[in-house]
Amino acid sequence: MKLTRRQFHQRALAASVGCFLPAVRSLHAEQSVETQPLYAQVERVLQALAMIGEPLPAADVSSIHQQMKRAGDASRDVMAILDRYVLMNVTVNPENRVSVSRGAAPAVLYEAGWKSFLVKIDNQSMTTAPFKVKSPQGGAMGRKSSLAIEGVHDFTNGAVDSVEARARWIAVATFDAPPMAATLSGLPVEYRILQLYSRDHGKREASLTADLGFGEQDLGFRSTLPVLFECIPAHRVNLDVRDEKGRPTTASFLVMDALGRIYPTQTKRDLPDLAFEPQVYRRNGETLLLPTGEYTVEMGRGPEYLRVRKQLTVNAQPATLHVSLFRWIDPSTQGYYSGDTHIHAAGCSHYESPTEGVPPEVMDRQVEGEALDVGSVLNWGPGFEYQKQFFSGHVQHPQTGIAAEPTIRYDIEVSGFPSSHCGHLVLLQLKDQHYPGTHTINDWPSWNIPILKWAKAQGAVVGYAHSGHGLVVDSTQLPNLLMPPFNSSGANEYIVDVTQEGIIDFISGCDLWPFAEMNIWYHTLNCGFRTAFAGETDFPCLTDECVGGGRSYVHMQGTPAGDTGYGEWLQNLLHGDAYFGDGRSHIFNFKVEGQGRSKEDVKLSAAKTVEVTADICALLAEHPNDKLRAIQHASPYDKPYWHLERARMGNTRTVMVELVVNGLPVASTPITADGTVQPVRFTHSIAKSSWVALRIYPSAHTNPIMVEVGGKPVRASLASAQWCRKAVDVCWGQKSLRIRKEELPDAAHAYAHARTTYDRLIEECRQAERS
């Protein structure tokens, strides 16, 4: 008989293997393998299936064990039982070519749920390569903006249109955790566990590809198997969601099975659910779609609420999950309303295809579900042309049917624009989102002051985003005199802008390192500038956990409803009683000499010992778990940067409230973080005009109250003024390289004005020190 070249090599390799492993015979011929390693591998498969929660029927498990105890070789009988649950047969020939065929297992899946199958591998090459199964229908239902920017183009992460998104209905995973292994064992035959998730119900086809990393197949050895599945419909669980007053509301839901698998699976989510968040948000009266099974459901509504955990059994019987949320603190009872001034509906973790971000109704429930009163959704570079359709110059008016609907407005972050290197700007309460004379965002100015002046001319409130970028130094001290590089997108050119009258209102933080965010703020406050500080999240860029991770609390006479309420909230943030932080601690009714923060300073005719009062509350777990202890002891350079756990004293529930005067903590008092509101009182001698604040570092910080002594302005620190003066030169050295040539003269003039201003302030600080 004449042999082909391939047949010759196959027989030669098989013969050579047989010389060293005489007990191994052709699986095609007799399905025979040494029993001891096969039985050990089968036992691990049985254990893994039981651990997953999908054990084989007890009768089959018992029969397998009986066969394995039988004298002689029962391998074929053991495999015959297992083969009934095999979806794919995979053959790896001696040349490491992979082919697949259909197994005997019924192709049945469950909508919104996982199901496990076996894969039988005929490993003729004895390879120990990793084994995976892939599917073109198994890719994510969109491509993240971050991947688009990085230029990732493969069949799971390439650009996705709406038709392709709907075609990606299945999720595919191999179970490789112990007692299984990540690689094949090298046995001539073994079984692996394949897990499949169906987004849909009804008949659906998927192509399953066996992948051992070889990337080799030819006409005779196909590695892809088309399978037509019948997907059994899931059950709808009705939700009755109530806040602490029994009113209908929106909450976050984290749904997990016994293995910790999250539902709905993140890569197969439809809007309004986001693929990058483990939780989903549901309003009262909505539903969760789940297959038959047992689940743990964890519910919450931002840091002011306690987490609620319930067990849920889902079957064919109608079910309603009743959720009554408990709020440990309600700042509105003290007159404070929360807001996050930096949220995105596009870019970063959002998909850029099939749509460029998400519509307003998605962002509405994100804000509702974290109990924010105000949300500023900022359009920026990624998706700008698509998202600008949602800008109206007014607040949104969603009709959700829940109590205490938040106030949401679309505005702009100047990020991904030519001026971004100078620091990203937050432009709030715009009337017009198009800079004059521009056609695209690439036509906007290449530095910040022209943009700030344009925005202020239309009545906008403007500030800097994620202030810490470009301002990190080799010190966590606050304040410190080390000079940062001013080489990134934080409050860099702020050092120049603040010297121009009335063009910058605030800088932002609570999403980066507090010592970097606030160091420049402290120094400029010491020079007498009155910039406010706003808490933000930069969702889903600096964090994609949830909105409101950093937030501001602003005192108002009523809820910030409509355009008027939104405007009042912003003005009170700038000039009124306001604090910022992570929402786990709160500083109410902060006063100096009985006077709260306002446009009017606390006026003293001469040096005096002043009284500082506030009502404080915070909440720490009485007995922290390992996760909380890890936060407490983490490096200050690691996330989460702002968190009350970092303020915990040892193993107690004690945190320190600090009185800060001109950037320095001058007194402190402990409080117990048990959720109760506790009054605090300090006295301190104020000898010269100063700014005063309270903080629980790094969890909450007030905006400052200015104290004027003898009619003189605040000139608190010569060192701060000198630091600011040097910072202008460092900033110019970085930013001038990227400002357009035709814009350089105006920019140079503005920087020169800043130098002159700080030179004057240095001299005034010297005079203040001498007096």
Side-chain angles (χ1 to χ4, degrees):
M1 179 181 68
K2 186 176 180 179
L3 298 177
T4 66
R5 182 185 298 270
R6 173 167 291 146
Q7 288 171 331
F8 173 80
H9 285 297
Q10 288 174 343
R11 294 191 179 187
L13 183 58
S16 65
V17 171
C19 293
F20 296 100
L21 298 169
V24 177
R25 289 176 286 176
S26 168
L27 297 174
H28 290 298
E30 298 183 30
Q31 286 285 299
S32 179
V33 64
E34 288 187 87
T35 57
Q36 190 278 331
L38 173 65
Y39 292 173
Q41 203 269 333
V42 168
E43 190 62 48
R44 288 196 301 275
V45 169
L46 296 177
Q47 291 172 1
L49 288 171
M51 187 176 73
I52 291 169
E54 297 181 71
L56 295 187
D60 284 344
V61 173
S62 176
S63 180
I64 288 171
H65 285 147
Q66 290 174 9
Q67 295 296 338
M68 290 194 297
K69 292 176 182 177
R70 208 179 74 196
D73 184 353
S75 59
R76 284 197 291 181
D77 295 322
V78 169
M79 288 189 287
I81 298 171
L82 291 175
D83 287 352
R84 297 200 292 268
Y85 304 97
V86 169
L87 184 71
M88 297 173 66
N89 294 298
V90 178
T91 299
V92 186
N93 80 356
E95 294 176 318
N96 280 333
R97 302 291 177 89
V98 180
S99 63
V100 297
S101 62
R102 181 73 170 84
V108 175
L109 295 177
Y110 301 104
E111 179 189 17
W114 290 91
K115 183 166 184 213
S116 297
F117 297 90
L118 296 182
V119 177
K120 185 177 184 180
I121 300 177
D122 177 359
N123 189 357
Q124 298 173 19
S125 72
M126 313 299 184
T127 180
T128 56
F131 173 74
K132 298 292 181 184
V133 176
K134 298 179 179 179
S135 172
Q137 291 81 32
M141 290 176 61
R143 180 173 64 168
K144 286 185 178 182
S145 290
S146 55
L147 295 176
I149 293 170
E150 294 164 7
V152 176
H153 297 289
D154 62 47
F155 83 91
T156 58
N157 287 318
V160 181
D161 61 25
S162 58
V163 174
E164 177 65 18
R166 293 311 306 167
R168 295 183 175 187
W169 64 274
I170 195 170
V172 181
T174 52
F175 185 80
D176 301 328
M180 304 299 289
T183 63
L184 298 181
S185 66
L187 282 174
V189 64
E190 65 181 283
Y191 293 86
R192 307 293 294 188
I193 298 174
L194 173 64
Q195 297 177 298
L196 300 178
Y197 175 99
S198 174
R199 180 196 65 202
D200 302 339
H201 65 268
K203 293 188 182 297
R204 294 292 185 273
E205 182 176 300
S207 295
L208 305 177
T209 299
D211 179 18
L212 283 84
F214 306 134
E216 295 184 12
Q217 60 174 304
D218 59 21
L219 292 176
F221 291 87
R222 294 294 187 187
S223 61
T224 297
L225 176 70
V227 181
L228 179 64
F229 291 93
E230 180 68 36
C231 306
I232 307 301
H235 311 292
R236 293 197 177 275
V237 178
N238 298 308
L239 300 175
D240 177 27
V241 189
R242 304 286 170 166
D243 68 9
E244 71 283 3
K245 298 177 181 178
R247 302 174 301 181
T249 193
T250 304
S252 67
F253 290 78
L254 178 60
V255 184
M256 294 180 291
D257 63 15
L259 291 179
R261 293 183 300 200
I262 293 170
Y263 294 80
T265 196
Q266 289 175 249
T267 60
K268 300 300 164 188
R269 291 184 176 180
D270 284 319
L271 296 179
D273 302 334
L274 299 179
F276 53 84
E277 292 178 320
Q279 75 275 14
V280 297
Y281 293 91
R282 292 290 184 269
R283 294 177 177 131
N284 179 68
E286 295 183 335
T287 61
L288 286 171
L289 187 66
L290 295 169
T292 298
E294 301 286 334
Y295 302 93
T296 299
V297 186
E298 188 173 289
M299 295 141 290
R301 197 166 180 256
E304 299 160 18
Y305 284 80
L306 299 181
R307 305 291 292 178
V308 177
R309 177 173 291 192
K310 288 193 172 186
Q311 300 303 123
L312 176 65
T313 299
V314 177
N315 51 40
Q317 300 300 315
T320 297
L321 180 62
H322 297 279
V323 182
S324 296
L325 298 172
F326 179 78
R327 194 172 199 161
W328 70 269
I329 186 66
D330 183 358
S332 70
T333 62
Q334 302 279 339
Y336 292 82
Y337 296 89
S338 63
D340 185 344
T341 49
H342 191 166
I343 301 169
H344 293 301
C348 297
S349 293
H350 283 300
Y351 289 154
E352 57 83 36
S353 63
T355 61
E356 295 182 79
V358 298
E361 51 264 30
V362 175
M363 302 311 298
D364 292 345
R365 70 176 59 223
Q366 293 278 324
V367 174
E368 294 164 13
E370 296 298 324
L372 286 165
D373 299 297
V374 171
S376 298
V377 182
L378 305 181
N379 193 8
W380 65 301
F384 186 86
E385 293 301 319
Y386 176 81
Q387 288 285 325
K388 70 182 184 183
Q389 66 181 299
F390 304 123
F391 173 87
S392 65
H394 301 280
V395 301
Q396 304 281 331
H397 293 286
Q399 300 297 317
T400 62
I402 69 163
E405 291 179 345
T407 296
I408 299 173
R409 195 184 197 276
Y410 274 68
D411 276 301
I412 289 178
E413 180 193 5
V414 184
S415 172
F417 291 60
S419 66
S420 297
H421 66 104
C422 293
H424 294 180
L425 298 176
V426 175
L427 310 180
L428 305 176
Q429 227 174 6
L430 289 169
K431 296 181 176 67
D432 180 6
Q433 63 178 329
H434 297 289
Y435 191 86
T438 63
H439 299 287
T440 71
I441 61 175
N442 294 323
D443 301 328
W444 284 48
S446 60
W447 65 302
N448 280 340
I449 286 182
I451 300 170
L452 292 170
K453 289 182 175 179
W454 162 75
K456 292 300 291 183
Q458 54 180 296
V461 173
V462 298
Y464 274 85
H466 40 67
S467 297
H469 277 318
L471 302 180
V472 179
V473 296
D474 191 19
S475 173
T476 60
Q477 185 177 345
L478 180 65
N480 68 76
L481 295 172
L482 297 181
M483 187 54 55
F486 286 84
N487 62 351
S488 190
S489 59
N492 289 195
E493 208 171 65
Y494 162 75
I495 200 67
V496 176
D497 306 339
V498 74
T499 66
Q500 302 269 338
E501 184 69 28
I503 68 166
I504 189 73
D505 296 309
F506 65 91
I507 65 174
S508 309
C510 302
D511 47 7
L512 285 170
W513 319 272
F515 48 87
E517 294 171 332
M518 293 195 291
N519 193 54
I520 194 171
W521 186 50
Y522 277 20
H523 283 313
T524 55
L525 288 174
N526 281 346
C527 291
F529 298 111
R530 296 164 181 256
T531 314
F533 199 104
E536 65 165 27
T537 303
D538 193 7
F539 172 90
C541 296
L542 287 181
T543 178
D544 58 9
E545 291 182 7
C546 64
V547 304
R551 50 180 68 195
S552 299
Y553 290 87
V554 178
H555 192 270
M556 297 180 62
Q557 294 304 311
T559 58
D563 288 337
T564 300
Y566 182 79
E568 290 178 358
W569 188 89
L570 288 177
Q571 289 304 311
N572 287 6
L573 169 65
L574 301 185
H575 306 296
D577 183 2
Y579 62 96
F580 52 90
D582 66 353
R584 298 178 178 89
S585 61
H586 300 268
I587 306 174
F588 304 133
N589 307 318
F590 167 46
K591 291 180 172 62
V592 177
E593 289 292 277
Q595 182 176 328
R597 181 171 180 261
S598 69
K599 291 183 178 180
E600 294 295 323
D601 296 349
V602 175
K603 296 184 186 296
L604 306 178
S605 59
K608 181 183 179 182
T609 297
V610 300
E611 181 184 59
V612 180
T613 57
D615 297 313
I616 312 287
C617 68
L619 183 64
L620 286 171
E622 187 171 3
H623 303 292
N625 57 28
D626 290 343
K627 181 180 179 180
L628 294 176
R629 277 191 288 268
I631 294 172
Q632 180 185 7
H633 299 296
S635 164
Y637 292 96
D638 293 337
K639 289 183 176 182
Y641 310 116
W642 288 73
H643 200 291
L644 183 62
E645 279 295 335
R646 291 183 177 274
R648 185 193 289 267
M649 307 294 290
N651 292 323
T652 72
R653 297 176 88 181
T654 301
V655 298
M656 300 302 294
V657 181
E658 295 178 299
L659 172 64
V660 179
V661 177
N662 298 331
L664 299 175
V666 297
S668 63
T669 188
I671 68 161
T672 301
D674 59 3
T676 62
V677 178
Q678 304 161 52
V680 299
R681 178 181 178 274
F682 298 95
T683 58
H684 183 72
S685 177
I686 301 292
K688 61 182 179 181
S689 295
S690 303
W691 62 273
V692 179
L694 293 178
R695 72 185 187 194
I696 301 174
Y697 186 83
S699 175
H701 199 302
T702 67
N703 272 296
I705 293 176
M706 295 294 183
V707 180
E708 179 189 289
V709 179
K712 295 181 179 180
V714 173
R715 300 292 182 262
S717 170
L718 172 61
S720 287
Q722 292 171 330
W723 184 93
C724 291
R725 172 62 180 83
K726 184 178 180 182
V728 175
D729 292 336
V730 175
C731 190
W732 177 254
Q734 290 284 345
K735 310 309 179 187
S736 61
L737 302 175
R738 298 177 63 181
I739 297 175
R740 295 189 189 107
K741 183 178 180 180
E742 63 271 20
E743 296 177 82
L744 268 175
D746 286 342
H749 179 74
Y751 276 75
H753 174 268
R755 294 185 186 97
T756 301
T757 299
Y758 289 119
D759 286 339
R760 174 175 55 81
L761 290 171
I762 288 170
E763 183 56 34
E764 292 176 4
C765 287
R766 285 198 179 104
Q767 293 175 7
E769 287 188 354
R770 286 195 292 267
S771 62

